[in-house]
Amino acid sequence: MTIRIDLKLRLRRDDDVAMGPGKADLLDAIAQTGSISAAARSMDMSYRRAWLLVDVMNRSFREPLVRGAAGGVQGGGANVTQAGLQVLAQFRAMEAAARAAAATHLDALALLLRNVDDK
């Protein structure tokens, strides 16, 4: 029997999710690819969906997390700003801390789970 903790933390600002696991993954992908469209493709997401997520992040924080470059002969691009890197690092640290805190309760909960042989 495999037991795992699956926490999904979300930072809300008013009605918007300013940061969550999917947005953090999108920021990582933008940082790796240098492009919102390439990041979206790597995540099997439409460009429009990725752009909307970036828009929510940029509106939610004091400084934009992603900056785009206008297209041209070479095409456009995007980069994760210093603020974006800071938000991403803090969010990933918060996820790790939450997993570590929850892990202390995992053994107690595991004892209460039904085994395959239980009826």
Side-chain angles (χ1 to χ4, degrees):
M1 170 173 52
T2 302
I3 302 167
R4 68 183 181 117
I5 298 171
D6 190 19
L7 297 174
K8 292 191 181 184
L9 302 175
R10 286 173 178 79
L11 175 63
R12 292 189 175 274
R13 182 182 169 272
D14 298 326
D15 291 334
D16 290 328
V17 175
M19 181 58 58
K23 287 185 173 106
D25 291 345
L26 180 58
L27 278 182
D28 274 332
I30 293 168
Q32 290 173 2
T33 64
S35 162
I36 295 172
S37 61
R41 280 192 302 275
S42 76
M43 297 177 69
D44 292 324
M45 177 187 301
S46 72
Y47 171 78
R48 175 160 172 72
R49 176 76 178 137
W51 187 89
L52 290 171
L53 294 174
V54 167
D55 185 55
V56 169
M57 287 187 283
N58 282 348
R59 285 186 290 107
S60 296
F61 289 91
R62 290 179 187 218
E63 296 179 34
L65 305 190
V66 175
R67 280 216 168 88
V73 175
Q74 298 295 323
N79 67 311
V80 178
T81 64
Q82 193 60 37
L85 295 173
Q86 289 176 318
V87 167
L88 183 58
Q90 287 296 319
F91 186 79
R92 294 299 192 202
M94 183 175 66
E95 285 181 314
R99 278 193 302 275
T104 61
H105 303 283
L106 181 59
D107 290 338
L109 286 171
L111 294 173
L112 299 172
L113 286 173
R114 182 182 304 268
N115 287 321
V116 175
D117 299 333
D118 291 348
K119 302 229 179 204

